[in-house]
Each structure stands twice: as C-alpha cells, then as structure tokens.
C-alpha cells in the first residue's frame, strides 16, 4: 500500500493503476503471447487511420500466427502508400470494362494469408471501388480478421482458403470461382511447401495480365523456406515467373536491420 500522503494526492496514480502499468510492462517484455489482445491504430498518411486487434500468439500453435500484424504487412503497406506506381492495379481505372462494353465490374483484388487485414485495408482505402477479398486458413485468424474488417467499417470480405486443397477443387465457391486483377501476399512463406501451393493456387486465381506481389523477411531461421520462392517461381517449367526482385532494408525499434525481399510475379 502507498503512504497516506501519496494516496491523498489526486495527481498520484493509485496502487491499482501502478500494478496495472507494471503488469503491462512485464507482459510486453515477455512477448505478445503474454500480453493478450491489443488494439492499435496505424497511420499511413494520407489514408485514414486503421485500427487492428492483435490477438495472443501461441508459439506452439501455427493457428495463432495470423493473429499478429507481422513486419511484412507493414512494409508492403508502406510501399502501397508511398510508391503506388509499383502496383498497376492502383493506377488502373476504377472499373474494368467487360468485353461487351455494356457492363462494368469492379476490379477484383485478393490477399493471401491476410492475417489481421492490414494490407487488405490499405488496398481498400487506396482503391475503394475495387472488390477486396481477404483470405486466411486458420479459424482463429479468420475470426480476428473479420473483427478488424468490422472495426474499420470496411466492405472487405474475409473467407477461408486452403492453399493445399484449392487447386484440386472442381468448382471453387464464389468469389474464388473467377480470377483476380491483382493478388498480394505478405509474410506468407514460412514452410517449404508454401511457395508451391501458392503457385498452384495462382494458376487459377491470377488473370493472365495481372501481377502477384509477394513480400517477406529473409529470416536466418527460415533460409530454406525463403529460397523456395525463387526455386518454385524460377523453375523452367513454371507458368508463373519472377519479373522483378528487390531487397528492402528496414530498421527496427531495437536498431536491428531486417531485410525484406519483394517479388513481382506474373505469367
């Protein structure tokens, strides 16, 4: 308990508030898995602020990975806002005209492994007339993704997508039954099978004149997994190939440098 002289001071935090602050600091130093759910506001001027809830991360359970906003989503979002010329979808007319020239349909944009939805929300604010579809696999991630979409009053759709099964589906359900004008993915390759699964999905999901924008960190702990992107999309028999590659170095709050690799992939 605090001394009476302190307790009587209205400008001095109470013992309860001090305990809360101390426990918050301790949980932060222990990592996001100990901190619990946390809602943050992200600012990418000139776009409106974006609110995202990060749910607890269970390091022993892959199903919780999508509950966190990873660095790749930050970097790809910054590129979308600061360098929109990289992405033809953002410089296209708001509506694409059908072959009959009598109807117009919104541009269709897909995010793979959307996680908390940061990239999809940036895409919505950057191209509000487009149809944005955010996908993930694990139910906890999809539930948190739907919460964040609602939190930002966005018309984005959150739907499940199993990369390993989708290529073999006879009749994919809407809206995955038609190809997309652009596909995005951030921090989505962390297993050796992922790049191959993603390529087989893109064969059905990417329009012939469209691009897949892929960005992820080059982690020392996942060197083999990182190499699979170039192995898969650089193979002689691959229908989809890497057209552009760029290394992006970012500084973290701790002063450590993290290198991200960006790929522009198409037919």
């Amino acid at each position: 308990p605090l001394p009476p002289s302190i307790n009587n001071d209205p400008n001095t935090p109470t013992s309860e508030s001090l305990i809360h602050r101390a426990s918050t600091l301790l949980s932060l130093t222990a990592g996001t898995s100990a901190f619990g759910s946390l809602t943050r506001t992200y600012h990418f001027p000139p776009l409106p602020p974006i609110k995202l809830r990060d749910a607890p991360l269970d390091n022993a359970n892959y199903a919780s990975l999508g509950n966190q906003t990873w660095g790749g989503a930050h970097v790809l979002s910054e590129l979308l806002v600061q360098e929109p010329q990289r992405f033809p979808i953002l410089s296209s007319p708001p509506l694409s005209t059908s072959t009959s020239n009598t109807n117009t349909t919104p541009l269709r944009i897909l995010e793979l492994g959307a996680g908390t939805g940061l990239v999809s929300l940036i895409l919505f604010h950057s191209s509000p007339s487009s149809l944005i579809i955010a996908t993930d696999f694990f139910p906890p991630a999809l539930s948190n993704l739907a919460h964040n979409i609602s939190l930002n009053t966005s018309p984005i759709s959150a739907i499940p997508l199993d990369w390993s099964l989708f290529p073999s589906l006879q009749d994919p359900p809407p809206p995955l039954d038609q190809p997309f004008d652009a596909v995005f993915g951030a921090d989505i390759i962390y297993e050796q099978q992922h790049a191959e699964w993603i390529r087989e999905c893109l064969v059905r999901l990417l329009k012939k004149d469209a691009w897949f924008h892929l960005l992820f960190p080059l982690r020392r702990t996942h060197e083999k997994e990182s190499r699979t992107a170039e192995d898969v999309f650089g193979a002689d028999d691959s229908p989809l190939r890497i057209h552009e590659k760029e290394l992006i170095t970012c500084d973290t709050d701790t002063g450590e440098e993290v290198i991200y690799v960006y790929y522009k992939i198409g037919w």
Side-chain angles (χ1 to χ4, degrees), residues 206-224:
L206 191 67
K207 286 185 178 180
K208 295 300 180 181
D209 58 347
W211 297 102
F212 171 45
H213 303 278
L214 174 65
L215 186 144
F216 57 87
L218 298 178
R219 299 185 179 96
R220 295 188 185 92
T221 55
H222 291 72
E223 290 183 0
K224 290 182 180 180

Side-chain angles (χ1 to χ4, degrees), residues 20 23 54 65 69 92-93 112-113 166-167 171 182 192 197 223-224 228 231 240 246 253 260:
H20 175 72
S23 62
D54 279 13
L65 289 176
T69 306
S92 299
L112 301 176
F166 179 81
D171 298 302
Q192 294 195 42
W197 288 347
E223 290 183 0
K224 290 182 180 180
T228 59
D231 292 340
L240 289 158
E246 181 180 350
D253 292 338
Y260 291 84

